[in-house]
Amino acid sequence: NPPTLLANSMLGAPGEELVKFYQMPSYRMWDPSTVMFFSFAFFFAMIMSDFGYGVLMSLISIATWKKLRTSELGRRMRRMLMVLSGSWLVYGVLCGSYFGYEAPLPGLQKLDIIDVENFDSMIRLSVGIGALHIILANIIRFMQALPRWSALSFVGWILMVSGGYSLYALGQDVKWAQGLLVVGLGTVFLFSSDRPLKGIKNILLRPLEGLLGLTNITKAFGDCLSYIRLFALGLSSALLATSFNTMAEQAMDTQTIFGIGLGVVVLVFGHILNLVLGIIGGLVHGLRLNFIEFSNWGLSGEGYPFKPFELKEKRKWKI
């Protein structure tokens, strides 16, 4: 069982730190660093859902840019901060939220295409992102499993997840989505086993292993629904920002020094608190969706990191 050495490009290298945070992939598995890094950044942006917080993250990145250049880990961290800041800014513009307020310019208002408070569309978007994430994991596993026949079982899961989500998003009467679901079920049943079609024992056990493979239907359903947390956390962040703005405005409307001062304190403290809560939620749930839902479909087995031999000086202290 050889050790695993992760080696990525400059842009994908920060993802290695995310992967090592949870578990090292097996030597014979693929390197998920780049995929997990960019999906983590996107999930983080959905949880924050505000352009203003993206500006604050950008300022933090600029302030720590020089301090983080002294080590390889620091350089990876500042690239991670750069990508996170960019994703927050872009998604914040699409949400039309600027510290809880609407876009200040007409040009920016035209880019407001995501309504965070629209329950139906946001749940559909979140579950769709989960379905795409799981489909991506199965595409990679299919490529890894070739040329074995069991690789087709991953194609079956791709068809099932695609068909199931299409029936949810487009309606239960969509015939081609029903066809995808049925073909996917049959493919998983037929190709979940690696046993050869020789011998009575293998012939009897293949359909049993096929039925065992189909039990993952509930897992696929639950994993897709798990991505609704992106909508829930994004909605809570948006509502908190709006609530703090409203409380600050009410205090300032008193037109007194105390009221204005209290309003400023509520505004600053409230948004700092909301930012901290968003960062904590983004870290916990952004990593969770990658390491539990995605990894359960895209990875199998656990490895241990490669550590090269090195010479160490043994010093003798003289008194």
Side-chain angles (χ1 to χ4, degrees):
N1 185 21
T4 303
L5 174 64
L6 301 178
N8 289 271
S9 62
M10 180 182 296
L11 194 57
E16 294 181 16
E17 304 305 321
L18 297 177
V19 173
K20 295 175 185 176
F21 179 81
Y22 185 68
Q23 72 176 29
M24 185 66 68
S26 173
Y27 173 79
R28 291 173 177 82
M29 279 285 104
W30 59 286
D31 185 352
S33 301
T34 302
V35 174
M36 286 191 175
F37 176 43
F38 285 100
S39 59
F40 171 72
F42 180 68
F43 296 158
F44 219 135
M46 285 193 69
I47 290 171
M48 299 308 299
S49 299
D50 195 283
F51 179 86
Y53 298 148
V55 172
L56 293 180
M57 177 60 74
S58 300
L59 294 176
I60 294 173
S61 302
I62 294 171
T64 59
W65 190 259
K66 291 184 178 180
K67 294 181 180 180
L68 293 175
R69 68 180 178 182
T70 56
S71 65
E72 177 60 26
L73 177 60
R75 289 189 289 271
R76 291 183 177 187
M77 288 298 102
R78 68 181 188 177
R79 288 197 293 269
M80 182 181 293
L81 288 174
M82 179 182 66
V83 174
L84 289 176
S85 302
S87 63
W88 291 16
L89 292 172
V90 173
Y91 193 80
V93 171
L94 297 179
C95 292
S97 179
Y98 301 79
F99 288 115
Y101 292 103
E102 295 182 354
L105 300 174
L108 294 175
Q109 293 175 359
K110 295 180 180 179
L111 299 175
D112 181 6
I113 59 176
I114 299 176
D115 185 2
V116 179
E117 298 184 16
N118 188 321
F119 279 65
D120 291 335
S121 64
M122 287 303 299
I123 291 177
R124 192 177 294 112
L125 174 63
S126 300
V127 175
I129 290 170
L132 287 175
H133 212 206
I134 293 173
I135 288 171
L136 175 61
N138 280 284
I139 290 174
I140 297 173
R141 287 298 301 277
F142 165 72
M143 297 171 64
Q144 290 283 312
L146 288 173
R148 292 177 295 162
W149 283 104
S150 60
L152 292 176
S153 65
F154 299 109
V155 176
W157 286 113
I158 294 170
L159 296 176
M160 271 204 287
V161 174
S162 302
Y165 177 73
S166 299
L167 289 174
Y168 161 67
L170 303 177
Q172 298 181 2
D173 297 329
V174 180
K175 299 299 182 181
W176 59 265
Q178 296 175 357
L180 287 178
L181 193 59
V182 172
V183 173
L185 284 168
T187 305
V188 171
F189 175 74
L190 293 174
F191 297 102
S192 288
S193 176
D194 272 326
R195 295 179 179 273
L197 290 172
K198 294 180 181 180
I200 297 177
K201 180 180 178 181
N202 291 333
I203 293 175
L204 292 176
L205 288 178
R206 278 187 66 92
L208 293 178
E209 292 180 353
L211 291 174
L212 184 63
L214 288 177
T215 59
N216 286 325
I217 292 176
T218 56
K219 186 178 79 169
F221 179 75
D223 287 346
C224 287
L225 291 183
S226 184
Y227 287 76
I228 294 178
R229 69 187 67 241
L230 297 174
F231 154 63
L233 292 168
L235 177 63
S236 64
S237 177
L239 293 179
L240 276 176
T242 303
S243 298
F244 285 126
N245 291 340
T246 302
M247 288 188 291
E249 290 171 359
Q250 290 174 349
M252 293 180 181
D253 286 342
T254 59
Q255 300 295 326
T256 61
I257 296 177
F258 175 78
I260 294 174
L262 179 61
V264 172
V265 171
V266 169
L267 197 64
V268 174
F269 176 78
H271 283 293
I272 291 176
L273 176 63
N274 197 20
L275 177 62
V276 172
L277 291 175
I279 291 174
I280 294 173
L283 285 172
V284 173
H285 296 283
L287 291 175
R288 179 237 157 83
L289 291 174
N290 276 292
F291 291 134
I292 296 181
E293 279 75 9
F294 180 77
S295 293
N296 280 340
W297 291 95
L299 297 169
S300 65
E302 183 176 356
Y304 61 99
F306 170 76
K307 295 181 180 180
F309 292 113
E310 61 180 347
L311 293 174
K312 293 184 178 180
E313 181 182 1
K314 188 174 182 180
R315 295 182 179 182
K316 295 181 179 180
W317 295 93
K318 296 181 180 181
I319 300 175

